[in-house]
Amino acid sequence: MASERFSFPRAELRGRMARGAIVNGSFLMLAEGIVVIQQVVVARLLTTAQVGLYGIVSVTVITLLTLKQVGIDEQYVQQDEHDQELAFQRAFTIDLVLGGIFAVLLVILAPVVAVAYGDWALAPLMLALAYLPIAFALQAPSWIFLRRMDFVRQRIVQSAAPIATFVATLALLLAGLEVWALVLGALLGNVVSAAVAARISPYPLKLRFHGASAKVYARFSWPIMLAAVAGLVIRQGQVFAFDAHLGLAGAGFITLAVTLTRYVDRADQIVTTTIYPAICAVTGRKEVMTELFMKSNRVTAMWALPFGAGLALFAPDLVHYVLGDKWEPAVILLQIMGITGAVHQLGFNWTAFYRAVGVSTPQAVYALAAALAFVAVPLPLLFISGIDGFAWGMFAVMVAAWGTRAYYIKKLLPDVRLTALAVRALIPTVVASGVVLLARLAEGERSLGVAIAEVVLFTGAFALTTWIRERPLLLEMIGYLRGRAGTAAPAPGLAP
């Protein structure tokens, strides 16, 4: 028998999540891998100042886009209206109106940003990206597939943009368009993605404004908007501070660090996206929510922690052998932001569990705590001790975020042991890192071959330790992928 939310029987929910994790994980490897490769190519072909110029514009635009992402998609996934086509069109209308407002805001801010940074080359770049809020709204059909847990079609929509952007950007870079290749490449990529979304959408993209629905979305969204403002303080503040202290090259350093370390964040987002519809379906069963929280974070740790540790271990080699020595001042930034970003992922998806029960205020409190820590510690240290001081100061932001997160997790899911989860997740990464550090004691002269051998050693040690410690969880996931029960007993609400 199918559930009231899904078109498949409730007994298939676990299998859907397991297969969704594979689909979404594959998308992560494809889409974010393309982004990282693109950033490496850009860093190699453009100067630090050119990357910094685009970094200022992109951080400003992306920050405003984050302000626009106020949970409309999540509220749509959560709702259970009888007429789903009408519910989607109402949500799409609200998102498109917001997109138009933010597009106008970007146009207005273009000269303001240029004056603030003292470089009028920023204004036309921002104007050229002002379409993005509307382009993202036109990709709203992916929400429908998320709610249905139809992850393949969802990712078809979402993978179109990075693939098309990469191809177009690379061609334009080779054509000599320099920083404008990044802007025009993004334009072409998002046009392709919007076209794909409209083509495969099960519902037509009609405008259906509904005042009562708008009020519901507003009540749900204002804390998420406040959290996004706090994120703006961090993202825009660090780029502005690096530019003020070190010039465009400094803005380029922080842009590179943020772009590469975002790979860690995306792992959590992919897993959270996979399980969010399931969380919404089982909000009345705390034991099931606790199981989803623990297992999703263990899976996320298998990706986020080794990536962050690997960046810390191999950032000097990445700069020396791949990016070029012009990025040498950013090494410590890459290393520490890799570590803090990875540890930051432990328990990071707690906000999805609150949003699934219709409560979004804790997310705002959490974001404000992180923003205050950012303003109080790493920002002043940048001007006192330079890049190294800023990098070490980011640990304070991580501590503030971790403390706030632990409080709210305990309040919603009292059976979660966050410290035990962190220790369990860290062991394979610590073992793999230790093996590499021990190997370095016996090494002679550093070379590219030695660095590659260490990467293989790190990967192998991590994979082996993870298999030993997480074998039951991995076998359970494999079992669901094969269409049979895993090794763990089924939890109520997720099985027949």
Side-chain angles (χ1 to χ4, degrees), residues 14-38:
R14 282 172 174 263
R16 287 275 178 153
M17 285 192 293
R19 288 187 289 274
I22 299 299
V23 171
N24 291 333
S26 300
F27 167 80
L28 171 67
M29 294 176 64
L30 173 65
E32 294 304 315
I34 288 173
V35 170
V36 170
I37 294 171
Q38 178 177 309

Side-chain angles (χ1 to χ4, degrees), residues 257 260-268 300 303-309 311 333-348 366 391 394-395 397-398 402 405:
L260 292 181
T261 55
R262 70 171 244 164
Y263 208 63
V264 177
D265 296 330
R266 291 294 290 165
D268 177 82
T300 299
W303 177 263
L305 293 182
F307 183 85
L311 189 58
L333 194 61
L334 291 171
Q335 290 177 313
I336 293 182
M337 289 187 70
I339 294 172
T340 57
V343 175
H344 188 63
Q345 296 310 299
L346 294 171
F348 185 77
Y366 169 81
M394 290 301 289
F395 278 107
V397 180
M398 183 185 72
W402 180 268
R405 176 187 311 167

Side-chain angles (χ1 to χ4, degrees), residues 99-111:
I101 293 172
F102 276 89
V104 172
L105 184 58
L106 282 172
V107 172
I108 296 172
L109 284 177

Side-chain angles (χ1 to χ4, degrees), residues 289-299 416-417 421:
M289 293 178 70
T290 298
E291 180 192 0
L292 285 173
F293 179 86
M294 294 294 291
K295 289 184 177 179
S296 64
N297 276 278
R298 285 162 62 188
V299 170
V416 168
R417 301 291 182 263
L421 172 66

Side-chain angles (χ1 to χ4, degrees), residues 171-256:
L172 294 170
L173 278 172
L174 295 176
L177 269 68
E178 297 182 338
V179 70
W180 276 97
L182 305 179
V183 175
L184 296 177
L187 171 62
L188 292 172
N190 281 285
V191 167
V192 169
S193 186
V196 170
R199 177 67 181 83
I200 69 174
S201 175
Y203 307 139
L205 298 180
K206 292 183 179 180
L207 297 180
R208 297 282 189 89
F209 184 78
H210 185 246
S213 297
K215 290 179 181 179
V216 171
Y217 279 94
R219 283 195 299 271
F220 182 82
S221 298
W222 76 260
I224 300 176
M225 172 73 80
L226 186 59
V229 171
L232 182 150
V233 171
I234 295 176
R235 283 186 290 272
Q236 189 63 45
Q238 62 190 9
V239 173
F240 187 84
F242 268 77
D243 178 74
H245 187 56
L246 300 170
L248 280 177
F253 296 147
I254 189 65
T255 299
L256 176 68

